[in-house]
Amino acid sequence: MVRIVPFGCLPLILLVGLAIFVPIFLADAMAAAFAKLGLSQGLSLAIVIAMFVGGLFNVPLKRVPRVMSVDTAPLGLYGAGRIFPHWFRQPTSTVIAVNVGGCLIPCAIVAYEVTRIAGHGSTALALTAAAAAINVAICFRLARPVPSVGIVLPALAPALAAAACGYLFVRDFAAPVAFTAGVLGPLIGADLLNLRRALHGGAGIASIGGAGTFDAIVLSGLVATLLA
């Protein structure tokens, strides 16, 4: 005979604990990554909050009309649906948008870091461009379109590549280089270069950085910075 041992409120307590401490841990890790980019503690905290809140908002850029073929069976009620299928073309559209927390804010940080890197000379800037180009190629290779979802990319692969490039190319300035390559790789290689494929996937909105704070663009940049 199997005896069921009641756990009481333990699962609920664990769930509430995870809901409280996981966001705190992620926010602390993000603030630590921004601190390595030369940002002050107060500014890092403000950016973390802005990214969490901004991840809820998309800025629409363009509406792309498309026509979707739909298969119906008007004679299916009489058992002849497979013999006499009916196709009709339904007009619809896909909205191209950018996410505030998942794209616009990381790109603003990249612009700031590129300015800092440029102050260290043209060689550092050229090596940063090379690191970004390598990560763009890797992300383009790994990106896969998923119907009705968009472009899917494993976040750790571009992050590791960006961290390695930052450490090998400009060791004294590895964190800003890794963050720049980590953000531009998924942004250009996964999202922009695969935008046409995303439009054909049937999704109602093609949002760049659309998973918000936890999009591959942000995760790749932050993980690469922490590893560099």
Side-chain angles (χ1 to χ4, degrees):
M1 181 177 179
V2 178
R3 183 182 178 184
I4 300 177
V5 180
F7 288 97
C9 296
L10 181 59
L12 180 61
I13 295 174
L14 292 176
L15 183 61
V16 172
L18 288 175
I20 294 175
F21 290 109
V22 169
I24 294 177
F25 171 77
L26 291 175
D28 185 67
M30 293 171 66
F34 290 135
K36 294 184 67 175
L37 297 176
L39 303 177
S40 65
Q41 184 176 359
L43 183 57
S44 298
L45 180 60
I47 291 175
V48 170
I49 296 174
M51 291 178 71
F52 273 103
V53 176
L56 303 174
F57 300 96
N58 288 307
V59 179
L61 299 180
K62 184 179 181 180
R63 183 179 295 273
V64 179
R66 57 186 176 84
V67 178
M68 181 174 59
S69 296
V70 180
D71 182 15
T72 62
L75 299 179
L77 198 62
Y78 306 99
R82 295 185 178 181
I83 302 176
F84 302 103
H86 177 66
W87 291 82
F88 73 93
R89 299 175 71 79
Q90 177 182 359
T92 182
S93 62
T94 298
V95 176
I96 301 176
V98 292
N99 188 269
V100 176
C103 181
L104 294 182
I105 294 178
C107 286
I109 299 174
V110 165
Y112 169 73
E113 296 302 327
V114 168
T115 303
R116 292 182 62 208
I117 294 171
H120 287 253
S122 58
T123 301
L125 195 60
L127 291 174
T128 303
I134 291 173
N135 215 23
V136 166
I138 292 174
C139 292
F140 180 74
R141 180 68 176 176
L142 295 177
R144 293 290 181 270
V146 177
S148 301
V149 175
I151 303 299
V152 176
L153 175 71
L156 288 182
L160 293 174
C165 289
Y167 183 78
L168 294 175
F169 289 0
V170 192
R171 184 170 301 183
D172 295 335
F173 219 53
V177 173
F179 181 84
T180 301
V183 169
L184 295 183
L187 173 64
I188 300 174
D191 284 354
L192 297 182
L193 294 183
N194 288 283
L195 186 58
R196 188 179 298 274
R197 299 165 71 184
L199 293 177
H200 293 161
I205 180 170
S207 178
I208 301 173
T213 308
F214 303 104
D215 187 82
I217 295 173
V218 177
L219 284 178
S220 179
L222 293 178
V223 173
T225 304
L226 290 172
L227 293 176

